[in-house]
Amino acid sequence: NAGVTQTPKFRVLKTGQSMTLLCAQDMNHEYMYWYRQDPGMGLRLIHYSVGEGTTAKGEVPDGYNVSRLKKQNFLLGLESAAPSQTSVYFCASSPRGRFGYEQYFGPGTRLTVT
Amino acid sequence: SQQGEEDPQALSIQEGENATMNCSYKTSINNLQWYRQNSGRGLVHLILIRSNEREKHSGRLRVTLDTSKKSSSLLITASRAADTASYFCATVLTGGGNKLTFGTGTQLKVEL
């Protein structure tokens, strides 16, 4: 099992450009999440999905869009990148459960917006 | 806003010593989880403790939870250089599905 994989690992964008980050998991998990991590801070939830075809906003959703067309994939889009979106982005997945389960994280994507 | 706050922000100890990190949170939780992050890497789950549990062990890790004080502690016994990492607590709020709210983390350095 590869677990959770993220593509790309690194990316540099100019302000106003767009890009899509891809997350894939092979554990048949229902739930998937996108977080961002900034220096000196913990992870903050951007968007999440509780199943194929569903998405919901997290704590910091502005400037991002997501799609979950297939159960194993969760895409994070930046339509018009801004320097404030310079961050490390982590994808995670977990099984569905009423009382919560551990989340499995990908290795991260380091994004710089100039 | 950060639900959890870790204390201390940074901790430096010698190999073989014990390391204790504390986490405080603000609202009612379903469970609390601890994660480790090595520099430049993704997070790795360490342990999950549910709101009706008071203590949990996993290898050299011991986690306690005091819901009346809204606090948790992570103890790593007999630390090794390989334990050098950032440690984060994360809470699942009551009625919050499986969404995690992370604290700011404790940077642990274990020196030889």
Side-chain angles (χ1 to χ4, degrees):
Chain A
N1 284 352
V4 179
T5 57
Q6 292 183 231
T7 309
K9 289 186 169 52
F10 303 93
R11 186 72 186 268
V12 178
L13 287 179
K14 293 188 187 320
T15 298
Q17 288 184 321
S18 63
M19 78 164 294
T20 300
L21 283 69
L22 171 63
C23 175
Q25 54 97 3
D26 61 3
M27 295 172 283
N28 201 35
H29 286 166
E30 291 290 335
Y31 293 176
M32 296 187 75
Y33 315 82
W34 275 107
Y35 296 90
R36 61 177 287 173
Q37 184 178 32
D38 300 299
M41 300 184 72
L43 278 69
R44 291 183 292 168
L45 183 64
I46 305 171
H47 286 280
Y48 65 101
S49 168
V50 298
E52 182 178 320
T54 73
T55 63
K57 294 179 180 179
E59 182 186 352
V60 289
D62 294 343
Y64 305 96
N65 57 74
V66 287
S67 65
R68 182 107 180 261
L69 298 180
K70 293 182 179 180
K71 185 177 183 179
Q72 63 268 34
N73 295 338
F74 196 28
L75 278 63
L76 178 71
L78 286 73
E79 290 186 346
S80 180
S84 61
Q85 294 177 305
T86 293
S87 190
V88 182
Y89 291 85
F90 290 98
C91 176
S93 70
S94 75
R96 179 175 56 192
R98 181 180 173 189
F99 298 107
Y101 286 95
E102 65 189 84
Q103 292 187 13
Y104 295 79
F105 283 81
T109 294
R110 188 172 295 274
L111 174 66
T112 302
V113 183
T114 62
Chain B
S1 63
Q2 300 287 350
Q3 155 80 332
E5 297 290 335
E6 277 96 333
D7 172 56
Q9 290 187 334
L11 180 61
S12 183
I13 60 173
Q14 298 293 312
E15 198 171 48
E17 294 180 336
N18 296 341
T20 299
M21 290 159 256
N22 302 297
C23 169
S24 60
Y25 58 91
K26 298 174 185 174
T27 58
S28 178
I29 63 170
N30 188 313
N31 67 68
L32 185 145
Q33 303 178 29
W34 285 91
Y35 287 82
R36 183 187 73 227
Q37 184 180 35
N38 291 89
S39 181
R41 303 287 188 92
L43 279 72
V44 174
H45 180 265
L46 295 176
I47 200 163
L48 181 155
I49 186 165
R50 303 200 186 282
S51 60
N52 61 352
E53 297 175 313
R54 292 296 168 258
E55 187 171 312
K56 219 165 177 184
H57 296 256
S58 177
R60 294 184 295 112
L61 306 180
R62 173 178 170 254
V63 167
T64 61
L65 178 64
D66 186 335
T67 52
S68 66
K69 295 182 179 178
K70 292 186 171 56
S71 67
S72 173
S73 67
L74 170 67
L75 168 68
I76 304 174
T77 60
S79 296
R80 306 165 181 168
D83 294 327
T84 294
S86 293
Y87 292 82
F88 294 91
C89 71
T91 53
V92 174
L93 304 184
T94 301
N98 199 33
K99 294 180 293 181
L100 289 174
T101 304
F102 282 85
T104 51
T106 292
Q107 289 189 336
L108 173 65
K109 184 175 181 181
V110 182
E111 299 185 86
L112 295 171

